[in-house]
Amino acid sequence: MLVVTPKNLSILTMIVLAFGCSKKEEKKSEDSPNSTDGQNNTDVLDSTIDVIPVRNDEKSGPNSTPFKTEITVNGVLHTSYYNRATSSPYFQSSTELKDLFPDISNPRTSQLCLPTIMSYELYTQLAAKPALLSSKAETHLMKPIYDQVRDMYKVCETDRYRGTTAPQAANCAIKAAFAMGLVPHVQVIGVDAKWKDGGYYIESVSTEMRALKNEDVINSVANQTSAMFLIGFYDTTDGVNFTRIGGHFISITATGLASNETSGSMRAWIVDPALPGNEKAGANNPFNATIAPFKRSNESNLDPLIEKEIVGSKLEAAGLRIFIESEIRFSMSRE
């Protein structure tokens, strides 16, 4: 049994197979938030297409641009590389969770990306800030990891067919913190901030309906705030017209800017709940992806608030582009 103990907050690595979280979604109405996955349909195999991240080794040549680990944002110097935790054993397609899959015989149908990444972020928040440990938090961490994910599945109101929406994710962070006797601080930046006016967010969730900036990500990491991202997988044949195939939740625990900052690119360490996390960020390997500015044409149908693309990562699926749609940042305090 895989257990996290409050004594040393150590975690063990589960050896499991990795599959994707996203599915093809049908046409959505602007009257409700986007799910991470397709519409609820009992005939899952006919109505969805799995998006499977391909494990491609990242390539770096002798002339690759070095990235700085200290970044000044608005006059404040940050150490941007912050290794918050060991490699993550939180895995959405764990066989112990298969009864929550739409098809229990097929782990590729797992819709547990948000409950899994939320569980991981709760762990890293509490591990990084021992002063937050309460009796309720310790009780939570003593549970097997897959039971922690089950708890978040219920709190986040995840649908086993449709996944979880960004408002559900932000509200989940609020409710999870309160359940541990802690005060949550949650903010949503990006496309999904628009659901605030419709009453989809708990009142204490703050929103900013604007494009995500590099400094948003840097400040989240530097301040040891959980930085979770709803990303979208998009199909395109011309780089102008895009079709959203599905969505996925990840988190970022380290960032860096190139010495030549004119490109606007940023490196990051991505934690992906669709991969078992057998690797750990280290001094010689602090990044596993690049966040690059999207060079849009005037004719592009991509939402104007989407300006960041993830490239060179193991999230990549053949023929699909990956864009950051929204950041959900949250932290907890005693008061």
Side-chain angles (χ1 to χ4, degrees):
M1 179 176 290
L2 187 58
V3 178
V4 180
T5 64
K7 181 179 180 181
N8 55 20
L9 292 176
S10 63
I11 55 179
L12 304 176
T13 302
M14 294 191 298
I15 303 176
V16 285
L17 296 175
F19 294 96
C21 173
S22 304
K23 292 177 179 292
K24 184 176 182 178
E25 58 180 22
E26 299 179 13
K27 187 176 181 180
K28 298 177 293 294
S29 166
E30 284 299 311
D31 296 331
S32 62
N34 300 342
S35 291
T36 53
D37 304 286
Q39 298 296 317
N40 192 343
N41 191 316
T42 54
D43 194 0
V44 177
L45 295 181
D46 291 338
S47 66
T48 62
I49 297 176
D50 292 308
V51 178
I52 306 172
V54 179
R55 295 185 67 99
N56 294 324
D57 292 333
E58 183 172 313
K59 298 178 180 179
S60 58
N63 297 321
S64 58
T65 306
F67 282 75
K68 299 186 295 184
T69 57
E70 291 188 337
I71 304 171
T72 300
V73 177
N74 296 329
V76 178
L77 180 66
H78 295 298
T79 300
S80 61
Y81 170 54
Y82 170 45
N83 185 16
R84 228 174 19 192
T86 62
S87 57
S88 171
Y90 291 82
F91 179 47
Q92 71 183 66
S93 294
S94 171
T95 55
E96 291 88 351
L97 298 168
K98 66 181 181 180
D99 60 299
L100 300 180
F101 305 163
D103 179 357
I104 62 174
S105 66
N106 182 6
R108 291 169 62 174
T109 65
S110 172
Q111 307 300 304
L112 302 177
C113 54
L114 188 276
T116 303
I117 206 66
M118 179 70 72
S119 298
Y120 169 76
E121 287 301 324
L122 281 174
Y123 165 78
T124 57
Q125 282 282 306
L126 295 170
K129 304 170 185 177
L132 296 180
L133 279 176
S134 62
S135 58
K136 292 180 179 179
E138 289 182 356
T139 298
H140 173 76
L141 291 177
M142 288 179 68
K143 294 181 179 181
I145 284 177
Y146 46 82
D147 282 347
Q148 295 177 37
V149 175
R150 285 180 182 279
D151 286 349
M152 290 304 103
Y153 173 84
K154 296 176 183 177
V155 173
C156 300
E157 300 178 351
T158 293
D159 186 287
R160 70 176 66 211
Y161 297 100
R162 299 184 63 193
T164 319
T165 66
Q168 285 176 292
N171 295 343
C172 183
I174 295 282
K175 291 184 284 188
F178 278 136
M180 295 184 186
L182 299 170
V183 178
H185 310 278
V186 180
Q187 180 184 28
V188 178
I189 300 173
V191 175
D192 292 282
K194 65 184 177 183
W195 305 115
K196 180 77 169 181
D197 290 341
Y200 289 98
Y201 289 106
I202 292 175
E203 185 176 355
S204 58
V205 175
S206 64
T207 59
E208 291 189 47
M209 199 167 69
R210 60 170 175 80
L212 189 71
K213 301 176 182 178
N214 283 354
E215 51 261 41
D216 294 322
V217 184
I218 292 167
N219 281 321
S220 295
V221 172
N223 293 322
Q224 302 184 16
T225 297
S226 290
M228 300 188 301
F229 297 85
L230 176 56
I231 60 175
F233 296 95
Y234 288 79
D235 190 21
T236 183
T237 56
D238 55 11
V240 176
N241 298 292
F242 293 86
T243 301
R244 191 181 193 271
I245 302 300
H248 188 48
F249 282 95
I250 61 171
S251 66
I252 292 178
T253 61
T255 60
L257 289 177
S259 56
N260 178 6
E261 298 176 17
T262 57
S263 67
S265 293
M266 177 171 59
R267 298 301 305 275
W269 181 262
I270 288 176
V271 177
D272 178 10
L275 295 174
N278 291 325
E279 301 173 30
K280 177 182 176 181
N284 296 323
N285 184 34
F287 310 116
N288 61 6
T290 297
I291 298 175
F294 170 58
K295 299 177 181 178
R296 77 171 61 241
S297 68
N298 293 333
E299 296 79 23
S300 176
N301 69 340
L302 200 63
D303 191 296
L305 295 186
I306 296 178
E307 294 185 355
K308 300 296 182 183
E309 181 174 8
I310 296 179
V311 297
S313 76
K314 294 176 182 179
L315 290 166
E316 288 179 313
L320 298 178
R321 304 276 291 272
I322 304 170
F323 295 100
I324 296 178
E325 297 174 341
S326 301
E327 177 185 9
I328 301 171
R329 58 168 68 167
F330 83 98
S331 60
M332 299 176 289
S333 64
R334 286 283 188 179
E335 55 184 28

